[in-house]
Amino acid sequence: MSPIPGSGLAKGLAVTLRTMTRKSVTAQYPDVQPELPPRTRGVIGLFEENCTVCMLCARECPDWCIYIDSHKETVPAAAPGGRERSRNVLDRFAIDFSLCMYCGICIEVCPFDALFWSPEFEYAETDIRDLTHERDKLREWMWTVPAPPALDAAAEEPKEVAAARKAADKLAAARAKETEAPGDGAPNTGGPNTDAPGDGTRGEGTPDGPASPGGGAA
């Protein structure tokens, strides 16, 4: 069936008329900040204490916009006769947001939770070189990272928390056992035989030697 001539125009005018009768709503930005969802991908924050310079984020980044420099330091042995160890020390951690595609791969692959999403998006610059955020600026974004959502009340306790709780309980039990250990000088009244030595009796009160004459022994 062929369409009625002018039906498309009528439908378009109907949409226009419905829109004209509605009250317009204008977002008063920047005076009124928008309510963003907690998982908004605005900018990336760096929690430097968790970074081990494993380079996973830089290697997995599809845009190669993460720059990391580090050096090795020798850590002395913790105990006499132990072996010295080396550790990586972070010198530079920078992200070029002019190249970043906000895919979030770097955050997902980080094994030590050193990178986080922040909903902040107001970091436009007039110079493209200023969009490369160094470690100090990335650390400042951590103050804008929202707190993680609360766990389900019926959820299983994380393995890390369970292991830490078990270790803490074991340490508390060991300390309590040390405080309750004997050695305060109190007399020992326990044991099956409480008779003093040399009193001429045994455990059942029987004579220690042969019966004396006239003692009435059978």
Side-chain angles (χ1 to χ4, degrees):
M1 181 178 179
S2 60
I4 302 175
S7 59
L9 178 62
K11 291 181 180 179
L13 291 175
V15 174
T16 303
L17 291 174
R18 287 198 303 269
T19 306
M20 290 175 61
T21 57
R22 295 176 184 174
K23 182 180 180 181
S24 61
V25 179
T26 303
Q28 302 297 329
Y29 176 82
D31 297 332
V32 179
Q33 293 292 326
E35 296 182 2
L36 301 175
R39 298 183 64 183
T40 299
R41 298 184 178 186
V43 71
I44 298 175
L46 171 66
F47 190 55
E48 187 176 333
E49 285 75 7
N50 286 358
C51 182
T52 60
V53 201
C54 64
M55 304 294 291
L56 274 177
C57 55
R59 288 198 298 263
E60 297 296 331
C61 178
D63 292 332
W64 295 87
C65 63
I66 301 178
Y67 313 112
I68 300 177
D69 294 330
S70 65
H71 70 277
K72 289 185 177 293
E73 286 186 357
T74 302
V75 181
R83 186 181 62 179
E84 295 182 346
R85 299 183 181 273
S86 62
R87 66 184 182 95
N88 293 324
V89 179
L90 184 66
D91 293 329
R92 185 195 183 199
F93 196 109
I95 300 179
D96 188 355
F97 286 102
S98 65
L99 299 176
C100 180
M101 60 185 293
Y102 300 91
C103 63
I105 293 178
C106 58
I107 298 176
E108 295 295 332
V109 301
C110 180
F112 302 105
D113 292 335
L115 298 174
F116 296 88
W117 277 119
S118 168
E120 293 294 326
F121 60 91
E122 297 176 324
Y123 54 94
E125 302 287 350
T126 57
D127 192 345
I128 193 173
R129 292 172 294 183
D130 294 334
L131 285 175
T132 300
H133 294 186
E134 299 291 337
R135 57 192 288 190
D136 295 337
K137 194 167 186 179
L138 293 175
R139 185 182 182 87
E140 293 178 0
W141 291 123
M142 281 299 302
W143 296 102
T144 62
V145 174
L151 297 177
D152 189 356
E156 183 180 357
E157 188 177 35
K159 295 181 180 179
E160 297 83 359
V161 177
R165 191 187 308 278
K166 184 178 180 180
D169 294 342
K170 186 176 180 180
L171 181 61
R175 290 180 177 177
K177 187 176 180 180
E178 291 177 359
T179 56
E180 296 176 0
D184 53 356
N188 187 8
T189 59
N193 187 6
T194 59
D195 298 332
D199 59 353
T201 60
R202 293 181 180 178
E204 297 293 334
T206 56
D208 197 17
S212 60

